[in-house]
Amino acid sequence: MRTSIKALLASTLFLAAATPALADDTAPPSDIKITGSAAIVSQYRFRGIAQSDNKPAVQGAITVSHSSGFYVSTWGSSASAGNGAVNIGGTEIDVYGGFAHGLGSSGVNIDVGVYGYLYPGATAGNYCEIYGSLSKALGPVNAKAGINFAPAQKNLRVYPTHTNTYVYGELSGAIPNTPLTVHSHLGHTGGAFDWTKDYLDYSVGVGATYKNLTLDVSWVGTNVSRKDAAAKPITSPFETYRAAKDVAVVSLTATF
């Protein structure tokens, strides 16, 4: 009797272990994919301007995408609060969604959508943008160009210009036989979010990846000078320049 019970238990455990594996082998892949990330950064810069008072920040994101190309995502970061040049209430939460797909056999990928910037501690700063980009692999280099446009909306009426346009270009590429990727970015802001003037922001950096971890070191800055900050300060000339000056930014990101 005891032998029969043991045999029955053994058979049951075997079937329980084997059945999910068999189901995984035969089930079709899901059309829906969920990905995410968590990061620690030495400071949070957005389009070259400090958003965390030049102090460390924690960030996280989650994206739900469909095989058709449609996706929705949310991203969050700790941010500035206080008397600095940027005061966005201590937290930023971005919600966006769009469509990304290849254009036939051209190798060109298109990505279009709507992006919302939410600041729970400073809701007067909330706004949205329409965005679009094109990207293509050029040999070992990935090239991307895009535009983000903030149309006239309630929270932009406080600015002399009620819209904002951001255009940018990026180049990136992996170094063969290494875990390293080199990347660069150049952007131009014009309109409501001018920082003393229509300005350029730029970055160049290198990331090292091990499994699901990436350590990145980048040089980030703008063409806003001390003279620009003194002539048209956002708050004080010192804080205006401090938020826009060139800095090294280090980040550690885990993806899942």
Side-chain angles (χ1 to χ4, degrees):
M1 187 69 171
R2 289 180 181 176
T3 301
S4 299
I5 292 173
K6 288 181 179 179
L8 180 60
L9 287 173
S11 299
T12 302
L13 289 172
F14 174 79
L15 290 173
T19 301
L22 184 62
D24 288 344
D25 289 340
T26 58
S30 173
D31 287 332
I32 297 176
K33 184 178 180 180
I34 300 175
T35 57
S37 66
I40 300 173
V41 298
S42 60
Q43 64 171 279
Y44 168 27
R45 289 268 173 148
F46 177 68
R47 297 174 184 172
I49 305 300
Q51 306 292 300
S52 61
D53 196 26
N54 295 63
K55 297 173 183 176
V58 292
Q59 302 174 339
I62 188 165
T63 298
V64 179
S65 56
H66 189 268
S67 58
S68 63
F70 288 99
Y71 63 88
V72 292
S73 185
T74 185
W75 178 92
S77 178
S78 56
S80 298
N83 298 320
V86 176
N87 178 5
I88 49 181
T91 305
E92 176 181 338
I93 299 174
D94 300 346
V95 180
Y96 56 99
F99 176 77
H101 208 276
L103 295 179
S105 59
S106 65
V108 175
N109 295 303
I110 185 172
D111 185 3
V112 295
V114 178
Y115 206 112
Y117 301 84
L118 306 175
Y119 308 102
T123 57
N126 296 348
Y127 70 100
C128 67
E129 291 181 329
I130 303 166
Y131 64 86
S133 68
L134 296 173
S135 60
K136 181 178 174 63
L138 303 173
V141 177
N142 295 312
K144 181 179 181 179
I147 181 170
N148 288 50
F149 176 70
Q153 52 199 280
K154 179 182 177 181
N155 286 349
L156 300 190
R157 294 174 187 169
V158 298
Y159 300 102
T161 303
H162 297 166
T163 65
N164 191 78
T165 303
Y166 183 71
V167 294
Y168 65 92
E170 297 177 345
L171 294 173
S172 64
I175 300 176
N177 304 315
T178 75
L180 304 179
T181 298
V182 178
H183 55 87
S184 61
H185 170 98
L186 178 64
H188 178 271
T189 295
F193 303 137
D194 289 355
W195 198 261
T196 74
K197 61 181 181 180
D198 285 10
Y199 74 95
L200 297 173
D201 72 274
Y202 45 82
S203 69
V204 60
V206 59
T209 299
Y210 175 72
K211 295 185 178 179
N212 68 324
L213 295 176
T214 299
L215 177 65
D216 187 271
V217 180
S218 296
W219 190 254
V220 181
T222 74
N223 69 335
V224 175
S225 66
R226 293 181 184 274
K227 184 177 180 181
D228 294 327
K232 194 176 179 182
I234 305 299
T235 52
S236 70
F238 171 78
E239 290 293 343
T240 300
Y241 176 70
R242 178 173 173 265
K245 69 178 184 178
D246 291 9
V247 294
V249 176
V250 181
S251 66
L252 180 63
T253 302
T255 58
F256 55 89

